[in-house]
Amino acid sequence: MVKKPAGVLMFLLVILMVLGTAELQSDCRCSSSTCDCQSRGLTSVPQDLPTNTTELLLQSNQTTTLSQSNFSRYGSLEILELGSNRISTINDQTFYHLSNLSSLNLAFNRLPILTPGTFTGLGNLETLNLRRNDITDIPAGTFNPTPQLRTLELRNNRLAFLRDDMFTGLGNLQEVSLYFNEITDIQAGTFTPTPQVRTLKLENNKLIALRSDMFTGLRNLQQLWLEDNDIGDIQPGTLIQLHN
């Protein structure tokens, strides 16, 4: 039997100790390229996970703020779950290094507003879930960094008015959910930048009238949900333009 040098054995022992310490620090379970850090009471993103992680589950923790340093070492991420935390602040360029990300879940947090720098770096993002936050406004240019977005979930927020610059940059968007907000009006041209939208959900808002210019540009729309509003007037021609 060939004996291994004592130095090699000591090196292996040190490696095992380091790995064991990392597991205790993060208290996450990593298998293959997925790391499960759900419900760990975390107040920040663990920095001791494998750098080749493609799916990171961070739901149901106590994180309040996100910054670029949180994800700079996880450039391989494709799926990022951050739902049910206490996130109220996302610093600009937080996701700058996540160019491979296709799905981002930020539902059930406390975000009051988005900025044009919130989603910088997410050029391949296809699904964005912002359900049940406290979002009151979406400034112009917010979604310019996400041209590949297909599904946008904004239900259960506090949006009261849709402007014509809110959805610029979303030429590939196919489904947008805006129900259970406080929307009273939709500015003319709001959906002009989103000609590929097939499903638009606006139920449970506070719309009182529909104008013919509200849905301009939605030439591929197939489903329009408007129930449980206060609509008392529909201008002639409003729905004729919705060919599908």
Side-chain angles (χ1 to χ4, degrees):
M1 179 181 294
V2 179
K3 293 184 178 180
K4 294 184 179 180
V8 174
L9 293 176
M10 181 60 70
F11 176 77
L12 291 174
L13 180 60
V14 170
I15 292 297
L16 290 173
M17 290 176 64
V18 170
L19 291 176
T21 301
E23 184 176 353
L24 289 174
Q25 286 177 348
S26 64
D27 194 26
C28 299
R29 293 182 180 180
C30 296
S31 176
S32 184
S33 59
T34 298
C35 283
D36 185 352
C37 302
Q38 299 180 76
S39 304
R40 300 297 201 277
L42 299 173
T43 57
S44 62
V45 178
Q47 295 300 301
D48 52 7
L49 307 177
T51 56
N52 65 342
T53 299
T54 60
E55 183 174 3
L56 179 53
L57 310 179
L58 285 162
Q59 306 100 307
S60 303
N61 281 293
Q62 299 177 25
T63 303
T64 60
T65 302
L66 297 177
S67 60
Q68 186 178 137
S69 61
N70 293 145
F71 302 106
S72 59
R73 66 192 308 271
Y74 300 127
S76 297
L77 281 179
E78 298 174 6
I79 299 173
L80 178 56
E81 297 283 342
L82 287 160
S84 299
N85 274 270
R86 301 176 181 178
I87 300 168
S88 59
T89 302
I90 300 178
N91 292 323
D92 286 355
Q93 299 193 339
T94 287
F95 306 112
Y96 180 79
H97 297 282
L98 304 186
S99 59
N100 293 308
L101 202 69
S102 62
S103 177
L104 174 59
N105 182 7
L106 287 161
F108 292 90
N109 278 290
R110 302 175 182 179
L111 293 169
I113 193 170
L114 306 174
T115 74
T118 299
F119 303 117
T120 298
L122 298 180
N124 287 303
L125 193 68
E126 296 183 0
T127 301
L128 176 58
N129 190 346
L130 292 162
R131 175 188 179 189
R132 201 174 286 277
N133 276 274
D134 297 315
I135 299 170
T136 59
D137 189 30
I138 301 174
T142 295
F143 297 118
N144 283 348
T146 60
Q148 300 304 318
L149 201 64
R150 301 293 196 275
T151 303
L152 177 58
E153 179 66 75
L154 281 164
R155 59 176 154 157
N156 295 96
N157 277 284
R158 297 173 57 196
L159 294 169
F161 181 68
L162 300 185
R163 296 189 318 277
D164 62 358
D165 57 7
M166 278 186 169
F167 301 120
T168 56
L170 294 178
N172 289 303
L173 192 65
Q174 296 181 5
E175 180 174 346
V176 55
S177 296
L178 288 156
Y179 54 102
F180 283 107
N181 274 272
E182 301 170 7
I183 301 168
T184 60
D185 195 18
I186 301 173
Q187 189 174 24
T190 292
F191 299 110
T192 299
T194 61
Q196 300 303 319
V197 166
R198 289 167 170 74
T199 301
L200 175 58
K201 298 181 178 180
L202 285 162
E203 63 265 43
N204 293 96
N205 277 287
K206 298 180 179 180
L207 293 169
I208 60 174
L210 299 182
R211 300 187 315 277
S212 59
D213 58 10
M214 279 184 169
F215 305 114
T216 300
L218 293 175
R219 55 180 178 269
N220 289 299
L221 192 67
Q222 297 176 2
Q223 297 185 58
L224 176 60
W225 300 67
L226 289 164
E227 61 263 38
D228 293 313
N229 277 276
D230 298 316
I231 299 170
D233 180 41
I234 301 178
Q235 287 188 0
T238 297
L239 302 178
I240 292 178
Q241 61 183 307
L242 305 178
H243 305 292
N244 296 317

